């Protein structure tokens, strides 16, 4: 069952760039509040904001062999997504693998386990979202699979799906929904821009969104 | 039972400013080692240190409607304190709400749940202490209450209590104890200043605090 | 059973300096993937990288008395390692103790509990690796022991062992293995340097490490 | 600040008995979905279902001295409620204390920490709801308080409040709301009884509660 | 996006019965060590061992409305599988819903959240595997979906997949792999039966499985 | 570094039997409140109470090969103690291994990871204390070591140490301290027996242990 799918479809590069600009919170809302990875997935440093096509890895716990296999499958603009087959926080990835991945055009890593060499990775500005920072070494004994559907931090990721990641966490967008999600994200951002100015001027959300009547109807009392 | 208490008492502004300067650890000690919120309440960025009057929010899990209601109740120098009625890490708050809250004079947010848009909030320097960073969206379906007593991250917070928050976490001071706590905090700081110089010069706490005899009495042996 | 061992052996200073330079991930690998403390041990600020001799503390939960006792035992280049006798996240250590410890030549603290005054500690650049940041105060009622073997965050630490700590976490090296571990760490670094250049040039780990045949033999299929 | 309040008011015994019969889930709903302690509070054995008046204990972490003090304050039908002042899972209570508490008429213990001797406690059928089962011993060094308001497992408990506990967990009812809550709980039980028969006969909740129209209105589609 | 898929395919009843008999550990191994739900999914009482077809529910956090909708879709032999759209431990299910579900032939519930009325559910012998036991009530405000793919406790469950659950936890088997998995499970059980007798007689696994040579080759030394 | 130490010393059988009778809480107190494993180590069924000599296993995460190796080293009255080299909750042990271990005289297993087949193990009355119940299968790829010192659930266990385990958890007693600890445990039990009768008769611990004066001296006030 260990296998590598070599030919995967990816979303349009311009759409991916648009989703990166929108960011996780907006994209998540725009696609109907779905696709978020668990909140324990945290960036190793603040400020990175990326989007890319998922090259997925299903790996045994404590075994990072498949990262080498996956890197060969990476094309420019891809993001590696690794899910262990049972819970693990070992350090699957460090600066050598980042060097290799970046040489292939990889934009970052999402790993439902640990990462190490985080100072070097920060210096390289190679972003990683992980469950843990942990130096624990791994072995290379048991193959897994590359570019198969995985459940990563509670979210289903298919190869070629768009991964959006920033300081808020990680969101996955189905490849064939990416363009539509971007449209909605842009509408949302335009709408928010107008609201932001009014809120900054001291107008209340209660009035802008006309919430008072509905709140009263639902029984809210002022004392 | 959904209600908004509009008229709450607040502590003296000068006292609040003094408590902000003292910081969480000192205030917590000065009031007899009570009032800390749980250690999982972490700031979204390092370096903020604030104090303000609590405008409290009891909200259903995954429903941030009452934040809009609460913002209308905010006066300059207040801090919003949100406790969900059952455990939740959804992202109740982001940059739009922060824009609105700041326009009313709000100094920050303490939320026993999640927050999102943390990059924007950091850029705005709007401090938030939260249980999680999570982009998960919320609904606006069920009212809660504003300015009622809440248990937030294990601590009882009454509306108008003073919230002190910094990189060490969050501490609540009862409104009517605030002045007395500030006095004790100042004594403590003065006392620490003298001790710091002696410790920096290499004198030992064992000697400064005259601990040797009591340690021996309690059975400590040197080998 | 409360006791202080005053005379402990330490590793060679040059070896310790070499281990600091190598860092946690490399040292951990060089000594056969052992000695890591649990991944929940995190630095209070990014960028510190130190090594030193362990002065160990076994302390009751919520009682930081022995830190004063331990500081007297510190020699230049030591690192304090505190393990509570039952799980605890109280703030055992703050800026006053750091001032005192630094005056004795202490390089940092590893504490399987909480720390406070983290803003001041950061300003001082006194590094701490801890399980929690928590202002909760402690008492001085019950003696513990200094320089006895402790289990800290899941790892056995003997007094005089070398502690290596950086952004990846904390690793302990047995005193009498330190020189040999450093040799292996240096070999590892030299070897990695050569590999890094090849990887950066786009060569694949699959080829550099000649993994393809073994992967095929283990059943990996390409589709 | 260590004090013992000796004279506390209690709810009516018949009301307490009624609440015990209703059980946690019903009482929690009857009082507007409030008052639950955190879900980590679990019984040490299945099948106990009790209600009683809270004798509260605020105790230092790892120090069970105040249990002895509190037992003197127990009257027949009371339940001990212990909250440590910082998080702790030490074993505050075992079979000797249970023997003493039972001799005073105590019905059980709710402890936001650990308990031990659980086999003996089970044999005695002395029910305990706790955060942990842990044999870790405690000291008797620092007084706390008895019959002061405490936050236990996230819920505010005032002395004399009614504690209801069963296999679902623990719920607190404010003393002066107890009679009204019991009335609502009884209405709820009567109503449920009628519904149970219809549901058991295969009728659907969708029809009994007339949910279909509102679901359609909210946009639910059948495919 | 709230929708109910009414017509789902199910696996063969005899196959499902066979998988129930095999149990979770065997089924999980037989299908290549995949399909397990997270280890925090625990049964509310010991001894239940079931298999059935998944009727899946994607529900908002703290909103159990869709359980009523899903029960209408249940056929005899089905198991309800509920995944909240963000993490939640509220009590979605109790004895009334169990009465209704059982009346439709439902064999049990798997819920990545909380359950309540566990004493009644145990008395009814209606098995539930859940993340928490928690009485926290839910609302009926926002529709979700029934019989869509869900990620439940880290595993992807498609409607009609076979759920196997026992004291070891919960495993999902893809509907179209169920028959093949059962074959392998039966081979495995037959094989284990023979091994069990030899092991019980004192023969060692080292010899039965001929491990000694391979261990030596991998470097194991006896001292 | 993978090695098997074949010749280990064990404590006296009568001492071990005495410690089993005393149980975890008493033994832990008798040896000065040390030696407890973390509170997350729970028995798979209630009621077992055993003591035995530790045969220790250091195993890679997700690899249970060394259990087969360790079972050959078991003598009648031993208890297996397995610690993974990085955190793991995979199911290292099930009914086949239990059958084999029991055939060699093994009394139980302590595993800082997962166990499976718990229904069968319960039926066999083969006790296991574990961090998780989880069916996740393991591999047999990488050797570890048998009868080396391990840190298991936060406690140092040397081969031949006495393991005491019951419903309260697990405690380790150093082999050469076992007889002395048993003496103290017996004194403690005798002393407790006398106290139990007085407490059962309603006498207060405050009086039996003469606590009133010391409490007053420490500042306790009655109101």
């Amino acid at each position: 069952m260990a296998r590598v799918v070599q030919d995967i479809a990816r979303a349009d590069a311009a759409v991916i760039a648009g989703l990166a600009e929108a960011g996780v919170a907006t994209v998540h809302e725009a696609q109907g509040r779905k696709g978020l990875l668990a909140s324990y997935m945290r960036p190793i440093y603040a400020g990175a904001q990326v989007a890319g096509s998922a090259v997925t890895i299903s790996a045994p716990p404590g075994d990072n062999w498949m990262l080498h296999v996956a890197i060969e499958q990476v094309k420019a603009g891809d993001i590696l997504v690794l899910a262990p087959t049972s819970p693990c926080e070992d350090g699957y990835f460090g600066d050598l693998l980042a060097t290799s991945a970046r040489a292939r055009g990889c934009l970052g890593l999402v790993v439902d386990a640990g990462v190490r060499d985080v100072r070097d990775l920060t210096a390289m500005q190679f972003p990683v979202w992980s469950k843990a920072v942990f130096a624990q070494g791994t072995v290379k004994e048991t193959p897994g699979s590359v570019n198969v559907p995985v459940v990563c931090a509670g979210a289903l990721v298919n190869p070629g799906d768009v991964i959006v990641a920033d300081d808020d966490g990680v969101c996955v967008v189905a490849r064939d929904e990416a363009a539509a999600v971007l449209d909605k994200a842009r509408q949302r951002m335009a709408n928010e821009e107008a609201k932001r100015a009014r809120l900054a001027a001291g107008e209340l959300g209660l009035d802008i969104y006309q919430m008072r009547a509905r709140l009263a109807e639902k029984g809210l009392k002022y004392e």
Side-chain angles (χ1 to χ4, degrees), chain A:
Chain A
M1 286 174 309
R3 64 205 181 90
V4 181
V5 177
Q6 300 193 81
D7 188 19
I8 64 169
R10 289 165 172 86
D12 180 78
V15 169
I16 296 174
L19 292 169
E21 198 180 348
V24 168
T26 297
V27 166
H28 158 72
E29 289 282 349
Q31 72 175 338
R33 295 183 182 162
K34 66 180 185 188
L36 282 184
L37 276 64
S39 66
Y40 62 68
M41 296 297 287
R42 301 300 305 138
I44 57 169
Y45 58 85
Q49 183 163 331
V50 300
S53 301
V55 168
T56 64
I57 307 168
S58 172
D63 192 315
N64 79 341
W65 210 0
M66 296 313 284
L67 271 161
H68 289 281
V69 175
I71 286 170
E72 189 177 28
Q73 306 303 319
V74 165
K75 297 194 174 165
D78 286 351
I79 291 178
L80 289 164
V81 177
L82 186 151
T85 54
S86 75
C88 181
E89 54 178 27
D90 292 353
Y92 279 77
F93 190 88
D95 76 306
L96 278 186
L97 280 165
T99 300
S100 179
R102 172 165 283 173
R104 311 293 288 193
C106 181
L107 298 183
L109 168 72
V110 172
V111 52
D112 191 3
V115 63
R116 64 186 191 179
D117 300 330
V118 296
R119 192 160 78 153
D120 294 331
L121 294 171
T122 302
M124 291 172 66
Q125 291 283 294
F126 188 94
V128 177
W129 287 259
S130 71
K131 179 174 158 187
V133 173
F134 196 31
Q136 177 69 42
T138 51
V139 296
K140 289 171 181 53
E141 289 287 349
T142 311
S145 292
V146 170
N147 283 332
V148 296
V150 296
V151 174
C152 184
L156 177 65
V157 181
N158 282 297
D161 282 350
V162 183
I163 299 295
V164 186
D166 62 20
D167 291 348
D168 284 349
V170 184
C171 188
V172 57
V173 179
R175 186 178 53 82
D176 58 4
E177 297 176 7
V181 169
L182 178 58
D183 283 348
K184 286 192 184 154
R186 285 182 168 153
Q187 290 167 31
R188 194 175 170 86
M189 287 187 284
N191 181 42
E192 284 192 351
E193 212 42 58
K195 295 293 190 299
R196 185 174 290 110
R198 293 173 66 182
L199 292 167
E203 213 174 334
L204 288 168
L206 288 174
D207 298 313
I208 295 177
Y209 305 110
Q210 297 175 304
M211 292 169 168
R212 294 187 193 273
R214 196 162 156 254
L215 280 163
E217 181 192 329
K218 290 252 187 175
L220 185 67
K221 304 289 181 206
Y222 282 80
E223 298 176 6

